[in-house]
Amino acid sequence: MPQSIDRRVVAAGLVGSVVEYYDFGIYGYLATVLSVVFFANGTDPTTALLATFATFAAAFVLRPLGGLIFGHLGDRFGRSRILAATILSMCAATVAIGVLPTYAAIGVGAAFLLVAARCVQGIASGGEVGGAAAYVAEKSPPARRGFLCSTVQLGALSGALLASVAVTILTSVLTSEQLAAWGWRIPFLISLPLGLVGLWIRYRLEDSVSDEELEAGEGEASAPAVELVRAHLPGLLRTLGLSTLLFAGYYVTYVYASTHLQRTGGFSPAAAFWSTTITLIVSCAAMPFFGKLSDRWGRRPVLLIAAIAFGVLAVPCFAVMNAGALAPAILAQVVLGLPEAALMGVVFATFAEMFPSRVRYTGIALGFNLASMAVGGTAPLICLWLLGLTGSPLAPAWFLVAAAVVTVGTALTLTETRGTALRTG
């Protein structure tokens, strides 16, 4: 594949993930502020924070629906235009959050509007990453597919990093009163130029599956979701199982950890955000390495090692994060981020190699988003609930261990697909 095509493929996959995870990351990082702005009016702060994270989770409930809708359209009519639609919808919903009236202005209506905007985000994001992964995989040569597909998830971490940097800067230059009054709107409004750039890139794409390629296989699927369940259920279940730890690890390590460091570790908001920012920088640097490693070693061994490492490291890393010393806490979060980066760097090439082109978009999107609904957006809520139930500051770590068991078990069932041609029928 010529280097110029490599750049276009990377840009196409990366840009939507940047926008999606920037938008989702901003909400997670500003959860304590949003709980005051939209929910707390004499309400217990913990209850308000739970309501904020519940709204965070609401978008994930709708992600499988978005995966079905956009996956169907993408498998039936091509990837490129559908990917342009997902990024436009995501951007519009995020900018809408930035201009919403607050609880102080309109009461409970503010929370209702916030939930509505989050639902639009959820549907749009449900079709984004699966389509981007399918597109990049189909445009990649077999020998470089792991590396190039890792750039889709690199976009996800880059978007989260951008969100973390934006919040870190805001918390550093604004007072808590200014942040709650108007500063929280700024990161949401920044999504507008990001989305417009992404839309421009996506509209210039050529599709990744031609009519000739489909005719060489079995043509287009008239009902991709039905065919997926009927003929490719094992692949769908493996996608769900591999995504379980990926989502749990992502939202605990990169989103919830910031809240945990403040509420349980006793660190300032600025310190917690800097810790997350450093973790994201290290993970972004490491992710392409893991994608390339899977092109050399194979998908299965990298996934197994990463999942086992997560299960082994979760408890000791959280113990260090709870100890009250900032430098070791940052190091512990960075260490947790590395197996997550490995999982993210390898899974999309693995998923793409499980399905034929006629159901690939739907297969990746549905399995990935079912996991996101179960343990992704709910992860911060589960962690807070476990803390309250057990009283143990290590409770979130045991949640990660349970997710690791699921993903290790799934990885053991994989057949190695490194270097194989993608199926067209």
Side-chain angles (χ1 to χ4, degrees), residues 58-380:
F60 287 80
V61 173
L62 292 173
R63 283 182 66 150
L65 175 61
L68 283 172
I69 294 171
F70 289 110
H72 175 88
L73 295 173
D75 282 328
R76 291 278 290 135
F77 305 112
R79 322 300 196 206
S80 57
R81 292 186 179 181
I82 303 306
L83 287 173
T86 62
I87 200 170
L88 179 63
S89 302
M90 189 78 185
C91 175
T94 304
V95 172
I97 292 176
V99 299
L100 287 181
T102 64
Y103 185 97
I106 63 170
V108 295
F112 174 81
L113 292 173
L114 179 64
V115 171
R118 287 290 296 164
C119 288
V120 174
Q121 280 187 326
I123 292 173
S125 66
E128 166 55 43
V129 177
Y135 183 88
V136 173
E138 289 158 356
K139 284 289 189 179
S140 301
R144 302 189 69 207
R145 190 180 298 131
F147 171 70
L148 289 175
C149 283
S150 73
T151 63
V152 178
Q153 292 285 46
L154 179 61
L157 277 195
S158 299
L161 174 59
L162 184 60
S164 181
V165 169
V167 173
T168 299
I169 292 172
L170 282 176
T171 56
S172 299
V173 302
L174 298 179
T175 66
S176 57
E177 291 77 14
Q178 290 172 325
L179 191 62
W182 52 268
W184 64 271
R185 297 183 185 274
I186 296 174
F188 291 100
L189 298 178
I190 290 174
S191 182
L192 180 59
L194 290 176
L196 291 177
V197 171
L199 188 62
W200 177 74
I201 292 173
R202 288 274 173 89
Y203 263 121
R204 299 171 66 240
L205 296 178
E206 62 179 17
D207 222 312
S208 56
V209 180
S210 67
D211 293 337
E212 290 77 13
E213 287 173 307
L214 286 172
E215 289 170 3
E218 299 177 20
E220 296 172 348
S222 58
V226 174
E227 181 174 325
L228 177 70
V229 174
R230 185 181 67 243
H232 305 283
L233 185 59
L236 178 63
L237 294 176
R238 289 189 180 101
T239 303
L240 176 59
L242 293 175
S243 298
T244 297
L245 179 58
L246 184 146
F247 272 107
Y250 181 96
Y251 283 100
V252 172
T253 303
Y254 302 133
V255 178
Y256 167 75
S258 177
T259 300
H260 186 87
L261 287 170
Q262 295 173 62
R263 291 171 58 88
T264 305
F267 301 107
S268 68
F273 289 136
W274 277 116
S275 179
T276 299
T277 299
I278 293 169
T279 300
L280 286 166
I281 290 171
V282 174
S283 295
C284 282
M287 188 179 297
F289 165 77
F290 290 118
K292 184 172 289 188
L293 196 63
S294 78
D295 285 328
R296 297 186 63 183
W297 288 7
R299 320 298 186 211
R300 189 174 183 266
V302 176
L303 289 168
L304 274 171
I305 292 170
I308 292 170
F310 229 140
V312 171
L313 294 170
V315 173
C317 282
F318 263 86
V320 173
M321 290 165 65
N322 296 332
L326 181 58
I330 293 173
L331 180 60
Q333 190 177 0
V334 169
V335 168
L336 274 182
L338 289 175
E340 176 62 22
L343 290 172
M344 294 179 72
V346 179
V347 290
F348 278 157
T350 308
F351 295 163
E353 290 159 355
M354 291 181 186
F355 303 105
S357 56
R358 53 194 275 119
V359 297
R360 184 171 294 125
Y361 195 147
T362 303
I364 297 173
L366 186 56
F368 191 69
N369 288 307
L370 285 172
S372 81
M373 179 181 68
V375 295
T378 58

